[in-house]
């Protein structure tokens, strides 16, 4: 008998044949990976703004001495005002993109990296093929053409790599930047502008003895998510802001892979929050500390008017309990050994450390005052939802080397019945992180992000066994307004209402702990 050799081509053929039945039901699945979609601009799209972004390698000064090899984004404006794109000099962060609501934008993305990649516009409501799904990754030398209208309201959004299985490493290497949208009602408020409108991207990184980025891929690292021992702000360590004695609008993005921040001023001044993921809140809210999970944004009104010249104030991350730990099942010996592998790390998740320092270095009078009303946010009504009494579950769980949503791991072209959503509907979801009991061997917080339109948080429920840890973060959660990422603590269930308007096709939902995402804690919805 002759043994037939393994024939990969035949395997692939069978797979495609098997898929055709599916694609008949969901034509969108025809866009398989690396399909040559959006390689050229379309003739019937007339952009107001045209820019070019290049994904490339670079060496930038971060620590004293040797430069650090990074992956980064640079770019230029082809059509539109120069202010559309602001390069942050000497930083691995990509340029800040500034759009106006209603603008039609075309972006040429050129991949000059030695690897495949794709960019996603986090928080933007754009068509499926413009959303940077991993199936659209382009190879070295290829160009992806995005074309979309900016439908979002004014707010602080961002972009980052979203490459299959490589998102964590690519974002860590530098592939991320801010995307700021403005609109007329925001401009009418007279908030601080120009250099008093300050975006600050907070990230953690680890460096080796030669100033090169370190990234470990070992099992415990991936289960917990990467935690670095240097805190960088806008790509710089020991960040000090030279400020004037006047009001500022400060936009914060947590661009870290998995670190969660509990931010507070060291002198006890409260924080005045005016916005979050999807733009301005209805009115300012004052907190003694605020939580900022990976991918979340917060906008602060910070008034230094009462500060004297030369005074300093430090923004810290305070201690909190994140309840991370193994649940039953594993022997202590094994746990101890793996714990030891992590112990080189000095800034543990939930420990206290400094984030940045502000020094009042000049006196000026700012005339802005904090508006008591910031915006109008229509409350989504539960009664208008499609299944008001039957919310779709998103069950979070972790097992040995896998992180799951509803017991499933990410796979391209794998839409299940409960992941199909009728277009132009409002859907309730219950994101359950072990509220009814543990779902796996690990108990930890997960920042859950849904692509597409922003959602609203309806309620949080916490199991009594988790309430002590929860009480260390609860007062800092900003659940008002529009959100695209929500921190779900261990033992917690969060109910959200999310609209699915305008665009059919595939939109992702996943944990924004990027190591979890790459481990499979990610799925697709099909809107049809
Ligand atoms: Cu910020 Cu799917 O990601
Ligand atoms: Cu996103
Ligand atoms: Cu997670």
């Amino acid at each position: 008998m002759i043994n037939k050799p393994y024939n990969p081509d035949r395997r692939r053929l069978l797979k495609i044949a098997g898929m055709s039945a599916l694609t008949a039901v969901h034509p969108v699945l025809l866009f398989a990976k690396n399909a040559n979609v959006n390689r050229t601009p379309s003739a019937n799209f007339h952009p107001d703004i045209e820019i070019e972004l290049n994904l490339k390698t670079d060496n930038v000064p971060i620590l004293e001495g040797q430069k650090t090899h990074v992956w980064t984004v640079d770019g230029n404006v082809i059509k539109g005002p120069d202010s559309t794109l602001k390069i942050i000099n000497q930083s691995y962060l990509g340029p800040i993109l500034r759009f106006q609501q209603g603008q039609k934008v075309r972006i040429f993305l050129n991949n000059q990296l030695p690897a495949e990649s794709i960019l996603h516009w986090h928080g933007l409501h754009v068509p499926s093929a413009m959303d940077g799904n991993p199936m659209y990754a382009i190879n070295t030398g290829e160009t992806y053409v995005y074309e979309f209208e900016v439908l979002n309201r004014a707010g602080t959004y961002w972009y980052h790599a979203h490459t299959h299985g490589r998102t964590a490493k690519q974002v860590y290497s530098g592939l991320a930047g801010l995307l700021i949208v403005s609109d007329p009602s925001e401009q009418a408020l007279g908030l601080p502008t120009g250099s008093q409108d300050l975006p600050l991207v907070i990230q953690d990184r680890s460096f080796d003895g030669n100033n090169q980025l370190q990234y470990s891929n070992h099992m415990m690292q991936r289960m917990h998510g990467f935690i670095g021992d240097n805190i960088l702000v806008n790509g710089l360590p020991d960040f000090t802001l030279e400020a004037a004695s006047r009001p500022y609008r400060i936009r914060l993005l947590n661009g870290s892979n998995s670190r969660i921040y509990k931010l507070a001023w060291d002198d006890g001044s409260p924080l005045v929050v005016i916005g979050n993921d999807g733009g301005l809140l209805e009115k300012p809210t004052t907190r003694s500390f605020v939580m900022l999970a990976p991918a979340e944004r917060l906008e602060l009104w910070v008034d230094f008017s009462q500060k004297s010249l030369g005074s300093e104030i430090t923004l810290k991350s305070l201690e909190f309990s994140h309840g991370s730990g193994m649940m039953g099942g594993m022997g202590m010996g094994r746990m101890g050994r793996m714990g030891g592998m992590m112990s080189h790390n000095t800034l543990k998740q939930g420990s206290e450390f400094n984030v940045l320092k502000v020094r009042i270095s000049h006196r000026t009078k700012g005339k802005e005052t904090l508006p008591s009303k910031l915006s109008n946010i229509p409350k989504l009504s539960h009664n208008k939802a499609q299944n008001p009494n039957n919310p779709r579950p998103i069950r979070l769980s972790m097992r040995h080397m896998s992180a799951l949503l509803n017991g499933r791991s990410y796979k391209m072209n794998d839409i299940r019945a409960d992941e199909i959503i009728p277009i132009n509907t409002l859907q309730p979801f219950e994101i359950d992180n072990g509220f009814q009991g543990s779902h796996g061997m690990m108990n930890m917080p997960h920042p859950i992000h849904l692509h597409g339109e922003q959602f609203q948080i309806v309620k949080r429920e916490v199991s009594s066994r988790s309430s002590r840890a929860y009480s260390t973060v609860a007062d800092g959660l900003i659940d008002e307004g529009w959100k695209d990422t929500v921190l779900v603590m261990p033992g917690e269930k969060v109910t959200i209402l999310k609209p699915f308007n305008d665009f059919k096709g595939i939109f992702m939902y996943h944990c924004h702990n990027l190591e979890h995402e790459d481990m499979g804690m990610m799925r697709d919805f099909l809107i049809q």
Side-chain angles (χ1 to χ4, degrees), residues 48 77 100 150 202 278 281 332 341 361 378 408 437 456 467 480:
D48 306 301
V77 180
Q100 303 289 323
V150 179
I202 309 174
L281 305 176
M332 278 306 290
M341 288 159 65
S361 59
R408 300 170 191 141
Q456 290 181 2
S467 59
E480 294 97 321

Side-chain angles (χ1 to χ4, degrees), residues 6 19 35 43-44 105 113 140 160 163 170-171 195 200 213 225 231 248 252 259 288 295 298 316 382 411 469 472 526:
Y6 168 70
M19 253 177 57
N44 53 11
V105 178
L113 293 169
T140 314
H160 58 79
T163 317
Q170 292 197 352
V171 173
S195 56
L200 300 174
L213 288 169
I231 304 298
Y248 281 81
L252 301 173
R259 186 183 285 280
S288 57
L298 282 177
K316 302 186 75 100
H382 205 72
K411 237 166 101 191
T472 66
L526 173 61

Side-chain angles (χ1 to χ4, degrees), residues 219-283:
M219 193 269 253
M220 281 308 277
Q221 176 78 82
R222 292 173 64 198
M223 292 297 275
H224 286 280
F226 173 86
I227 292 290
D229 38 35
N230 293 68
I231 304 298
L232 307 187
V233 175
N234 291 349
L236 300 169
D238 304 315
F239 190 85
T240 302
L241 181 68
E242 304 281 338
S245 52
R246 68 175 332 284
Y248 281 81
R249 174 185 191 172
I250 293 187
R251 305 172 188 257
L252 301 173
L253 160 68
N254 181 352
S256 312
N257 281 25
S258 83
R259 186 183 285 280
I260 300 165
Y261 300 87
K262 176 179 176 176
L263 300 171
W265 293 112
D266 67 336
D267 69 349
S269 319
L271 296 112
V272 181
V273 180
I274 57 170
N276 56 359
D277 299 352
L280 295 170
L281 305 176
E282 288 208 285
K283 49 182 183 4

Side-chain angles (χ1 to χ4, degrees), residues 446 511 513 516 521:
H446 299 284
C511 183
N513 176 318
H516 290 178
M521 205 170 200

Side-chain angles (χ1 to χ4, degrees), residues 483-515:
K483 293 284 292 169
D484 58 49
T485 306
V486 57
L487 177 61
V488 189
M489 293 296 288
E492 188 177 28
K493 182 171 77 177
V494 179
T495 306
I496 64 168
L497 271 175
K498 178 171 156 62
F500 290 86
N501 295 319
D502 308 318
F503 302 125
K504 293 187 177 179
I506 280 179
F507 292 91
M508 319 197 86
Y509 62 109
H510 58 87
C511 183
H512 224 288
N513 176 318
L514 296 181
E515 283 71 29

